């Protein structure tokens, strides 16, 4: 048996088309064009590609975007000064500081300095708290992309056992909170596994839905997956010239009932959700004027 391939590319394209209409309607009624300010520090090639893709997606969806490129030697004070400037700029609705940051900069200090109303990554503790309490202002982009793909593929999430591999602040932790909530594409029983988890394969084999977000190329093998499970691969790892996920696609696609590919799975959804959050931020900031 071969799994259904859940195309994030196709779902994200549809979502971006819907967002383009919403952005146009918003602009007509308010005169405001949602504007994302992206900040890239240093010259990590993968980060440069991600940020460029985010800016491009803004353009094609009718949002404004500005890219602030800073050198790898930027100090924490210099970056804080830029964030403060963007916080105060009424023409900027969303602020994204691409991670990882160079080692001389404390990421937590920078992320905490972004005003929560412009925090389109939903990394600020105030926004994380709102997510935990089930009343989100913004949903974090990658977890929201995973949840949206589960709904789009008509995967039953309510009552399902979701096993998440990885406890990062960007994916694992917020996704666990979101799928635990009452509501559509949620109400799951959630287990979060990590590097210290004992008998990992025993747990992953109990998953109705398995989410891999650990950043280890092709970590999830066929014998870790229950036949018929739905597998969401959040990993993007460069191996030589090739991009591979955290799931061994060749093996697992023979066992799962549905699976996201890499590339073309969760990745494009992350970008679409960033656009959605930038529109939400523009709405919030325009309504509060
Ligand atoms: N680096 C990897 N993923 C992300 C993300 O979702 N947002 C930001 N800002 N940086 C990242």
């Amino acid at each position: 048996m071969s799994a259904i391939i859940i195309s994030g590319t196709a779902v994200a394209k549809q979502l971006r088309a819907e967002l383009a209409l919403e952005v146009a309607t918003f602009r007509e009624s308010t005169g405001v064009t949602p504007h994302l300010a992206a900040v890239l520090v240093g010259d990590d090639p993968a980060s440069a590609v991600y940020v460029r893709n985010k800016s491009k997606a803004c353009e094609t969806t009718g949002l404004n975007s500005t890219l602030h490129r800073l050198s790898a030697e930027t100090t924490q004070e210099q970056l804080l000064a830029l964030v403060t400037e963007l916080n105060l700029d009424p023409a900027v609705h969303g602020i994204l500081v691409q991670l990882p940051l160079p080692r001389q900069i404390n990421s937590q200090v920078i992320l905490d300095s972004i005003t929560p109303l412009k925090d389109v990554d939903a990394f600020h503790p105030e926004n994380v708290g709102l997510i935990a309490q089930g009343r989100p202002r913004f949903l974090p982009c990658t977890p929201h992309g995973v949840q949206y793909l589960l709904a789009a593929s008509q995967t039953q999430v309510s009552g399902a056992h979701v096993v998440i591999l990885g406890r990062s602040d960007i994916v694992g932790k917020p996704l666990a909170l979101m799928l635990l909530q009452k509501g559509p594409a949620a109400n799951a029983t959630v287990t979060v596994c990590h590097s210290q988890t004992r008998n990992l394969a025993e747990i992953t084999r109990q998953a109705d839905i398995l989410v891999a977000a650990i950043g280890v190329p092709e970590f999830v093998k066929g014998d870790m997956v229950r036949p018929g499970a739905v597998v969401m691969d959040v990993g993007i790892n460069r191996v030589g010239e090739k991009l591979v996920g955290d799931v061994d696609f060749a093996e697992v696609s023979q066992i799962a009932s549905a699976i996201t590919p890499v590339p073309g799975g969760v990745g494009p959804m992350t970008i679409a959700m960033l656009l959605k959050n930038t529109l939400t931020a523009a709405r919030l900031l325009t309504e509060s004027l």
Side-chain angles (χ1 to χ4, degrees):
M1 196 190 72
S2 201
I4 290 169
I5 311 294
I6 302 172
S7 171
T9 305
V11 175
K13 190 174 171 200
Q14 171 69 31
L15 179 56
R16 281 204 313 271
E18 289 167 21
L19 286 171
L21 288 177
E22 281 188 57
V23 168
T25 307
F26 176 74
R27 188 172 39 236
E28 276 159 29
S29 64
T30 62
V32 174
T33 301
H35 180 166
L36 174 73
V39 181
L40 175 62
V41 186
D43 30 42
D44 177 57
S47 289
V49 172
Y50 294 147
V51 171
R52 204 172 328 119
N53 286 342
K54 288 169 183 177
S55 300
K56 247 191 268 169
C58 281
E59 257 173 57
T60 57
T61 314
L63 294 87
N64 288 336
S65 77
T66 44
L67 172 56
H68 300 262
R69 291 199 76 146
L70 304 181
S71 86
E73 283 77 46
T74 301
T75 65
Q76 182 160 309
E77 288 64 39
Q78 287 169 325
L79 184 53
L80 269 178
L82 174 59
V83 171
T84 303
E85 191 187 308
L86 297 172
N87 280 341
L88 295 172
D89 186 343
V92 169
H93 306 107
I95 302 171
L96 175 138
V97 177
Q98 185 67 27
L99 301 177
L101 289 168
R103 70 185 65 193
Q104 73 274 18
I105 296 174
N106 182 331
S107 304
Q108 204 71 67
V109 170
I110 299 300
L111 297 179
D112 288 0
S113 75
I114 296 173
T115 185
L117 284 170
K118 297 189 180 185
D119 172 35
V120 286
D121 267 323
F123 291 164
H124 191 283
E126 178 179 316
N127 286 321
V128 177
L130 290 171
I131 294 160
Q133 293 184 344
R135 46 182 190 138
R137 176 186 283 137
F138 301 112
L139 289 172
C141 302
T142 302
H144 197 192
V146 171
Q147 188 179 40
Y148 197 94
L149 280 183
L150 287 171
S153 59
Q154 278 152 28
T155 302
Q156 171 83 20
V157 182
S158 180
H161 185 195
V162 179
V163 175
I164 299 171
L165 291 180
R167 55 178 158 180
S168 72
D169 290 334
I170 298 184
V171 183
K173 264 192 253 173
L175 180 62
L177 288 172
M178 287 162 60
L179 296 180
L180 192 60
Q181 303 297 331
K182 292 178 181 168
N187 268 316
T189 301
V190 182
T191 301
V192 183
C193 299
H194 48 78
S195 55
Q196 304 304 307
T197 298
R198 267 184 273 132
N199 304 325
L200 185 68
E202 223 168 86
I203 298 170
T204 59
R205 276 195 297 269
Q206 291 170 31
D208 301 308
I209 299 167
L210 180 61
V211 182
I214 44 175
V216 179
E218 300 181 325
F219 178 85
V220 176
K221 302 293 179 189
D223 62 4
M224 297 169 72
V225 178
R226 190 178 59 72
V230 172
V231 177
M232 310 298 287
D233 190 350
V234 179
I236 303 179
N237 310 288
R238 186 168 290 280
V239 176
E241 287 295 289
K242 229 178 115 197
L243 281 188
V244 299
D246 291 350
V247 176
D248 186 326
F249 187 86
E251 278 191 18
V252 174
S253 60
Q254 298 305 308
I255 315 269
S257 64
I259 185 169
T260 61
V262 178
V266 177
M269 296 302 299
T270 297
I271 297 183
M273 292 310 179
L274 175 67
L275 305 176
K276 187 175 171 61
N277 282 348
T278 305
L279 172 59
T280 300
R283 283 199 172 118
L284 290 171
L285 290 160
T286 306
E287 279 162 12
S288 70
L289 288 180

